[in-house]
Amino acid sequence: MASATLACVRVLQRIDRAAGGLLADAVLYGLSAVFALVTALTSTLLPHRAWGGVAVWGYVAAFLAVALQLGLRRPALRAPLTWLTWAAVALLPLVVQAVQRSAGRADRAQEEVLVVEHMGERLAHTGTPYLGPEAIGALPAGERLLGYAPYQPGMAVFGLPRAAFGDVWWTDARIWFAVVTAAALVTAVRLLRSSPVRALQFATVLPICALTLATGGDDLPVLALCLLALACCAAGPAVSGAGPDAGAAGRLSAAGPAAGAAGRFGAAGVAVGAAAALKLFALPVVAVLIVLAFTTGNLRRFLPGALGLPVLALLPAFLVDGDAFVENVIRFPLGHGIVTSPAQSPFPGYLIAEAVPGGRFVAIALLAAAALAIAVVLVRRPPVTAATAALFCGYGLLAAILLMPTTRFGYLLYPLALLVWAPALVLRQPTGTTAPRSDNALYRL
């Protein structure tokens, strides 16, 4: 099984590197153009159709640019092309929709944009971004869904510009989602000191990411901050290659690159803590990076930001109305709110919840069992590199998304980006060292 998996990985690597990566680029941009065209012609969601009508031209232009590079055999322009394509297929459609929305178009934003902006307004006026169950129940039946805000309190920050300056295009919450996403990704790439083009593509131009940012956007800053945290951790202490038990903290070398690692783990804590202050999806990443920080001797530097920021964001809202927080962030996502969440993609957890008697509890039990299994592996074979931590995060979130009773297809952007990001993080490991056996084991799964 392990040999077959390794052979499959090697085949995928050869395909990915063919023609300096240009062949896979052409396939990515070509298929993305087809996806955008089909979305523009057939989607029942009007913001998605508007995205597809603009993005298709960006993907076509990128495909033609890659074809030209293939003809000239010059793959050196792959990274700049990725950034330009992201601007064309995500940022441009976003700005177009924000401008049209400020001019009166009511079909140029998904509901989550309205929810985040309402959070900002409530935070500014009441001190909490949440409505309690009684307030939600008092709303007209058609408005109760928008009364819920299933995010961490920090997400309300993106709604404050609208609350402060009114209905203009640049106060659209998506604009600020994009600003934070761009800043985090640019910083992460600079930290890696390489050109992780494939990893960058899976966080930017992949349609599931570009479409999400342009029409809704709340997941992208969370993902980008998690990727930044991993990039910060990637320059961690050198690992001794002596012996099979090199995963222990005592085997870690405190020399060389470790001198600068302390500050980077502190920055990683701030980045992932900010992500966790926005959305619960970042909490599994926090848990894995806590283990990584412990095994590398950086726990004291990592914890203040990683745990402090979410707690600081939570306390004011919890003190103002703790029941409102529980109703929005706990009960509603678990299906116990006044209305049902529309997040109902046909993944196993949702199908079990719908088709099996007591299926919601069965799905939750399976989710808990998967979390326990990953926790056991995490304790028995803790990651000692950021690359393997990214794999733990990717596989863990993939299991969670598949088993959650209420979930969305778009959430797959998290595990996809994290799993593809992992090889880019390997590039920052100190030279002359090898990853320990415990760390390599996850690659062989």
Side-chain angles (χ1 to χ4, degrees):
M1 180 67 178
S3 59
T5 302
L6 184 59
C8 181
V9 169
R10 287 174 176 169
V11 170
L12 291 175
Q13 287 176 338
R14 285 199 294 269
I15 294 173
D16 181 65
R17 296 168 182 169
L22 289 175
L23 189 59
D25 287 353
V27 173
L28 171 63
Y29 292 132
L31 291 179
S32 298
V34 173
F35 178 87
L37 179 61
V38 172
T39 300
L41 296 177
T42 66
S43 177
T44 58
L45 300 174
L46 294 181
H48 288 202
R49 293 186 70 140
W51 169 82
V54 177
V56 63
W57 301 109
Y59 284 126
V60 169
F63 176 81
L64 294 176
V66 171
L68 179 61
Q69 290 183 70
L70 276 169
L72 298 176
R73 298 185 179 180
R74 294 186 60 183
L77 300 178
R78 294 177 64 222
L81 180 61
T82 299
W83 289 113
L84 288 173
T85 304
W86 186 51
V89 304
L91 303 184
L92 178 60
L94 187 162
V95 171
V96 169
Q97 292 200 28
V99 171
Q100 291 176 342
R101 181 184 172 213
S102 67
R105 290 291 297 266
D107 58 353
R108 286 297 180 262
Q110 291 186 181
E111 291 178 343
E112 51 262 43
V113 178
L114 306 180
V115 168
V116 171
E117 291 172 354
H118 291 163
M119 288 180 71
E121 293 172 1
R122 288 194 287 267
L123 178 63
H125 293 105
T126 68
T128 176
Y130 305 114
L131 292 176
E134 293 184 359
I136 295 173
L139 295 172
E143 298 178 13
R144 289 174 185 168
L145 180 60
L146 289 179
Y148 276 100
Y151 307 115
Q152 293 288 82
M155 189 67 76
V157 171
F158 294 100
L160 290 177
R162 200 77 160 190
F165 300 102
D167 185 7
V168 292
W169 72 269
W170 57 268
T171 62
D172 191 299
R174 290 170 293 181
I175 297 293
W176 301 101
F177 293 151
V179 169
V180 172
T181 300
L185 289 176
V186 169
T187 305
V189 170
R190 289 177 62 87
L191 282 173
L192 293 175
R193 297 181 183 178
S194 62
S195 297
V197 175
R198 192 70 66 223
L200 185 61
Q201 289 171 338
F202 271 68
T204 55
V205 300
L206 195 70
I208 196 173
C209 295
L211 170 62
T212 299
L213 183 61
T215 62
D218 56 279
D219 288 298
L220 268 299
V222 179
L223 172 63
L225 287 168
C226 290
L227 297 180
L228 174 58
L230 287 163
C232 290
C233 294
V239 181
S240 172
D245 298 319
R251 300 278 187 185
L252 298 175
S253 170
R264 285 188 286 268
F265 266 84
V270 172
V272 78
L278 300 178
K279 208 165 186 181
L280 288 175
F281 257 106
L283 290 183
V285 181
V286 172
V288 172
L289 291 186
I290 285 176
V291 176
L292 176 64
F294 175 77
T295 58
T296 56
N298 290 287
L299 190 61
R300 287 184 299 174
R301 302 178 182 92
F302 179 78
L303 281 183
L307 298 184
L309 285 178
V311 170
L312 286 175
L314 170 63
L315 277 178
F318 201 82
L319 291 174
V320 171
D321 192 340
D323 189 49
F325 169 81
V326 173
E327 177 70 17
N328 283 263
V329 183
I330 307 297
R331 296 191 194 117
F332 177 69
L334 291 178
H336 298 293
I338 296 173
V339 296
T340 303
S341 170
Q344 299 177 350
S345 295
F347 291 135
Y350 170 74
L351 296 177
I352 291 171
E354 291 296 310
V356 177
R360 182 170 296 276
F361 297 101
V362 173
I364 293 174
L366 290 173
L367 180 61
L372 179 61
I374 293 172
V376 170
V377 176
L378 197 60
V379 171
R380 293 188 60 188
R381 296 183 180 271
V384 295
T385 65
T388 306
L391 292 176
F392 266 108
C393 296
Y395 289 131
L397 282 172
L398 179 60
I401 291 166
L402 293 179
L403 294 175
M404 286 170 60
T406 55
T407 187
R408 293 181 186 271
F409 178 79
Y411 292 158
L412 288 175
L413 64 88
Y414 287 97
L416 285 176
L418 287 163
L419 292 173
V420 177
W421 199 254
L425 300 172
V426 175
L427 299 177
R428 285 293 294 132
Q429 301 307 319
T431 58
T433 63
T434 57
R437 185 173 66 184
S438 63
D439 206 47
N440 275 333
L442 203 59
Y443 281 96
R444 296 198 296 268
L445 292 179

